[in-house]
Amino acid sequence: MSTPNDAAQVGWSREEMARRAALDIPDGSYVNLGIGMPELIARFVPEGRELIYHTENGLLGMGPSPSEDEADPELINAGKRQVTALPGAAFFQHPDSFAMIRGGHIDLCVLGALQVAQNGDLANWSTGAPDAIPAVGGAMDLVQGVKNIFVLTQHNTKHGDPKLVERCTYPLTGVGVVTRIYTDLAVVEVTADGFQLVELAPGVTYEHAAERTGAPLLPLREEVVR
């Protein structure tokens, strides 16, 4: 399926997607944010709500990127981006960081995606092409050990192909792991019945979102229609 992607004309911007996802993260959650767009979420946490950020290279209590005069080249996150440490932050070795992940001590992880299947399968690390560079990092551990997995991604590729599909065709990161998806067009829940529409972005109709989804998209439930 290939549909011209005119999502740039309607829906949420990257920042608005991150802001919308931040609204659904409970106060006091231990959170791991994937590299790229998911990192934007930290900028949009609602006032009065505190999230504790974990990065798999060994820091709990990660703060925002520093100013130039505060930067410490040895203080980075898993994406090699310079960060700060909040008061009370803890440093630990790599095995301990992954013990937190595998032990189920992280409440939520937000990741990007190449594809998400209607049963919650996630493909986010490789297209499987012969020249693709393997770079799964800690994602396979995260999707198996963290309690909830959110995905933050564009609804379609730059070529207009759907990222929400019946079945992933790229190598899997995890099977049945995704619980909710935030795109430029909609918020979508992964349920036993498939993709359930939760909310449409401003200016987006159900038909617009459904046409750009590569699997059936269940319409808004009556109780959440605004």
Side-chain angles (χ1 to χ4, degrees):
M1 175 180 177
S2 181
T3 303
N5 187 8
D6 54 358
Q9 300 174 26
V10 295
W12 285 309
S13 67
R14 290 164 56 94
E15 290 75 15
E16 288 167 336
M17 291 162 60
R19 186 189 301 275
R20 177 60 187 84
L23 292 176
D24 288 344
I25 304 178
D27 184 36
S29 294
Y30 290 89
V31 179
N32 184 293
L33 298 177
I35 297 168
M37 202 185 329
E39 293 178 308
L40 294 174
I41 288 174
R43 293 167 44 188
F44 299 108
V45 177
E47 187 175 352
R49 196 178 300 182
E50 180 182 16
L51 307 182
I52 302 94
Y53 297 107
H54 167 275
T55 177
E56 55 264 43
N57 60 320
L59 171 60
L60 186 67
M62 179 177 64
S65 297
S67 61
E68 283 190 20
D69 54 343
E70 294 177 317
D72 180 347
E74 296 187 355
L75 188 54
I76 59 173
N77 65 10
K80 300 181 176 62
R81 183 188 298 273
Q82 289 187 343
V83 296
T84 53
L86 299 177
F91 298 93
F92 31 85
Q93 61 180 335
H94 224 94
D96 290 337
S97 184
F98 277 82
M100 293 178 187
I101 295 168
R102 297 172 184 175
H105 303 291
I106 307 301
D107 296 308
L108 176 72
C109 179
V110 186
L111 295 169
L114 296 171
Q115 294 175 326
V116 182
Q118 60 186 348
N119 69 337
D121 290 355
L122 173 65
N124 83 332
W125 68 281
S126 174
T127 62
D131 59 347
I133 301 172
V136 70
M140 287 184 176
D141 292 275
L142 288 163
V143 299
Q144 294 301 321
V146 176
K147 296 172 186 176
N148 283 292
I149 303 297
F150 287 177
V151 161
L152 189 68
T153 187
Q154 299 292 328
H155 207 89
N156 298 86
T157 70
K158 63 183 179 180
H159 301 296
D161 298 318
K163 290 190 172 188
L164 280 61
V165 295
E166 290 187 356
R167 185 176 63 183
C168 293
T169 57
Y170 295 150
L172 293 183
T173 309
V175 175
V177 294
V178 177
T179 54
R180 184 166 278 209
I181 308 160
Y182 299 83
T183 78
D184 51 319
L185 302 184
V187 180
V188 177
E189 193 88 15
V190 177
T191 74
D193 297 319
F195 291 132
Q196 171 67 62
L197 183 60
V198 174
E199 182 178 338
L200 288 166
V204 178
T205 64
Y206 168 74
E207 291 75 18
H208 183 92
E211 287 172 2
R212 287 156 181 77
T213 304
L217 180 63
L218 299 174
L220 285 167
R221 296 190 182 102
E222 185 177 345
E223 64 268 24
V224 296
V225 174
R226 292 180 174 86

